[in-house]
Every structure is written in structure tokens, then in C-alpha cells.
Amino acid sequence: MKLAAGKLLLVVGTLVWVSGCASIGPPEAPSLELPKPPSDLRAARKGDKVTLTWTIPARTTDRQSVRYLGKTDICRSVAGVVKQCGTPVGEAAPPPDFEKARKASAKKLAASFTDALPAAIEQEHATEFASYAVEVLNTASRGAGISNQVRVALVPTLPPFGHFAAKPIDQGVGISWQCPGTVGRRSGVKYLFRIYRRLESGSSWIKIADVDATECAAGASGQGKIITSFLDQSFEWENTYFYRGAVVSVVETAGKPAVEVEGDDTAAAKVFAHDVFPPAVPAGVQAVFSGPGQQAFIDLVWTPVSDADLDGYNIYRHEAGGAAVKLNSEVAKTPAFRDAEVVAGKTYFYSVSAVDQRGNESGRSEEASESVP
């Protein structure tokens, strides 16, 4: 039976179209779903707690998107580098709804884990380091290897000093703490007492001082409990602040940078830095009359007051048996004043006070007297 010419062309055309659209090749191997090991592991130690942070892998080792994430093993070694995880010291669970969270977030997802260092390790390896790594696994508990490694000093830290307190005084905010009554320091380790401050309306703590505390940590060289202090003058009055402190262990090795490990914090002390403290009382007031051949007046001079927030001075005068009257309408900005309102035949008594920028006025100085001929 013969096909019509039109039908034959239709069949040939159809075969050509099908063969042109099909792509036949070897089948792709299924993904092993092994998360790529993190390369940004970081560590921070505070007291006996080591906090590890890393970025959760978004890709597998065969460059596919991670769809199914398992736990992450935490690896620690005090015998050098971590070659393989072996027996983990902990594990971090994957984020709930990982696939949904990964798709919803435009940023990389972060993970963290806090490891508590055993006291026995700190004591036995006090001058050494621990190495940490993590291994991210898939849901079948298989991984592609460990992350980059980080090292953490194992020097023991001291508990925070007791009786930590802060209060405003005339020169600033006085901060005090009590040294321990028993020896707590470790030979070959220096200690600092690090003080932080935070504005009540703020969220960040700033370091304001590192005070040498090696002797304090040693129980004040056997002298028993003593109080140590620091004066903060870098704040602004009329604000509320929080203060806290921590003992820092410092290990110095020849030829290497010093290693610092910060201990746990004291309880925070809250302070309202309200300035109700007047400046120092002026001293050295002298009164000198001038008048022959010109208008009579009495010049006053005194020793300048050195308070940082000084605004100026008030000048007071009285006659014998009378009440003192302030002579100036505005505070005098310099330690000198000329009284031109004097009358011949009278004796005047002068005193001076200092005023700060918040209007606190000091007591009056000792009086100086001068007579007008």
C-alpha cells in the first residue's frame, strides 16, 4: 500500500521535530547531601564559657543547595589540632524549618554553641590552648569533614571581686570593690580589673579602665580584705549609667603577644550622676585700695579654682556688723573683681564663692578687708 505524498512529508517532519527537541545523555548522580564544612568558625571565651559561632552551610560538596540539615558536632582537643571529631563534646541542633528559613532569609544563617570548660582541664593545661572545630552533618549523620579550627586559652579565670559599687562624688563617679581575703592568683599570670560602663538609654558597654589587680588577686599580699577604687571622670552629669567589672587573666610568653581571658562579670551597679557637688572654696583673697588722684576703688584678686566644670565666681561685701551682699549680677569669669562703689572713711569686708555650670555654689572664702581713706 502506498502513502500519499502529503502524508509522507508529515510523518518525516514530525520525526525531525521530535529528534530535535530530545536530549539524551548519561543520568546525573544523586546528590550525597553533604553540607560543605564551614570556614568561618569563631570563638570567644568569657569565664569558663567558650561561645562558638559559624555560618550554616548553604551548599553541599557537590554544589547543590542544602535541603536537609542534620545536627552539628562540636569538636574540642587539648592535645593539639583537631584531626577528626571523634567523640564530640556537644552538638547543635539544626534550626527548625531549616529549608523554609533558608529560602525566607536573604542573609546567611548563623549558628552558635556554648561549651563549658571543665575546671580539671583549666588546671591541668593552664598555660596551653584548646582547639575547636565543628562538623555539620546531614540527616543521615554524615558529614564532609570538620571546619576551620580556632584556639582558646585555657588559663583559669578568677571570680569577680566582691562588693562592687559605684556612686557619684564631688570629682566624678567613685567605683570600689573588695579584694579577696585568700590567695587566688596563679603564678606567672598577671591580673587586671576591667571596668565597663553603659548609658541607661544605650545598649553597648564601653571599657573605661584596666586597673592593675595582681596584688588584689593575691589577697592584697596577705593583708586581708581591702577596698580598692577607681574614679571615673569621663562621663556626663545628669545621666543614669550602669557599671560592671571583671577580673582579666593575662598570660605573657616571651616573643609572643599577651593572651587575655576575661572572667565573669560583677553584678551591675546603677548610678544617677546627679551633680549636687559645689566647686572648691576660693582661697587667697586679697583686697587693695586705689584712689589718690583718681576715682576710688578696691581691687580684689584670688587663687583660681581648678574644677573642670567651673562657671565663675560670686563676690560678697559687707561692713562691720552688717549682712553680706552679692556685688555681681553675672558670675565673674576671672579671679579678679573691681569694686568702684566705695565711700571714703569706710572699711569693707570681702569674700568670694565659686559656682559650677549647674549652679552649685561653694562656701565663701575667708574674708579680706580694706579701708577707704
Side-chain angles (χ1 to χ4, degrees), residues 6-72:
K7 291 183 178 180
L8 179 61
L9 290 174
L10 177 61
V11 171
V12 172
T14 302
L15 291 174
V16 171
W17 178 82
V18 171
S19 64
C21 291
S23 178
I24 301 174
E28 293 185 1
S31 173
L32 297 177
E33 286 288 345
L34 298 179
K36 190 176 180 180
S39 59
D40 64 346
L41 179 66
R42 301 172 298 280
R45 183 181 168 191
K46 177 75 170 174
D48 64 353
K49 304 292 192 303
V50 177
T51 300
L52 304 172
T53 55
W54 64 93
T55 300
I56 297 175
R59 294 282 180 179
T60 64
T61 54
D62 47 10
R63 301 180 181 179
Q64 303 296 314
S65 293
V66 173
R67 295 178 299 167
Y68 310 109
L69 192 69
K71 67 177 182 177
T72 297

Side-chain angles (χ1 to χ4, degrees), residues 80-335:
V81 299
V82 179
K83 296 181 180 179
Q84 59 183 12
C85 208
T87 302
V89 295
E91 62 181 48
D97 298 324
F98 166 71
E99 177 68 7
K100 182 179 179 181
R102 183 182 65 81
K103 290 181 178 180
S105 176
K107 299 180 180 180
K108 296 179 179 179
L109 299 177
S112 65
F113 179 85
T114 299
D115 179 39
L117 287 170
I121 289 181
E122 292 180 322
Q123 295 298 327
E124 186 177 350
H125 303 274
T127 60
E128 301 173 20
F129 291 79
S131 294
Y132 282 90
V134 297
E135 184 173 13
V136 183
L137 308 179
N138 62 16
T139 52
S141 295
R142 295 180 60 192
I146 60 175
S147 68
N148 64 300
Q149 299 188 35
V150 291
R151 298 205 314 159
V152 174
L154 291 172
V155 58
T157 57
L158 297 183
F161 293 149
H163 298 275
F164 182 79
K167 65 178 182 178
I169 57 177
D170 58 348
Q171 297 179 347
V173 173
I175 303 166
S176 61
W177 58 93
Q178 187 168 282
C179 298
T182 57
V183 175
R185 63 174 290 190
R186 189 177 186 90
S187 178
V189 179
K190 294 183 178 180
Y191 295 94
L192 303 172
F193 190 59
R194 183 162 292 167
I195 303 171
Y196 293 91
R197 183 186 68 214
R198 177 176 69 82
L199 192 63
E200 184 183 36
S201 59
S203 59
S204 59
W205 292 87
I206 62 170
K207 182 181 76 173
I208 61 170
D210 274 341
V211 181
D212 189 333
T214 300
E215 291 302 320
C216 185
S221 299
Q223 298 176 17
K225 295 183 179 181
I226 63 171
I227 298 296
T228 307
S229 63
F230 172 80
L231 180 64
D232 179 21
Q233 295 180 305
S234 62
F235 65 97
E236 294 183 358
W237 290 103
E238 310 311 315
N239 284 314
T240 299
Y241 295 95
F242 289 96
Y243 290 86
R244 63 176 172 85
V247 184
V248 181
S249 303
V250 183
V251 181
E252 296 179 337
T253 305
K256 296 182 180 180
V259 175
E260 295 184 356
V261 178
E262 195 173 279
D264 293 327
D265 296 326
T266 65
K270 185 177 181 179
V271 172
F272 174 44
H274 181 38
D275 185 6
V276 294
F277 306 101
V281 177
V285 179
Q286 299 179 44
V288 179
F289 169 76
S290 296
Q294 58 183 325
Q295 179 185 359
F297 56 82
I298 294 176
D299 277 330
L300 302 173
V301 293
W302 56 90
T303 304
V305 171
S306 60
D307 291 53
D309 62 345
L310 179 73
D311 190 35
Y313 305 91
N314 286 330
I315 297 89
Y316 295 87
R317 184 188 76 181
H318 72 92
E319 298 177 35
V325 177
K326 187 173 74 169
L327 299 181
N328 56 301
S329 56
E330 301 289 337
V331 292
K333 298 297 184 178
T334 60

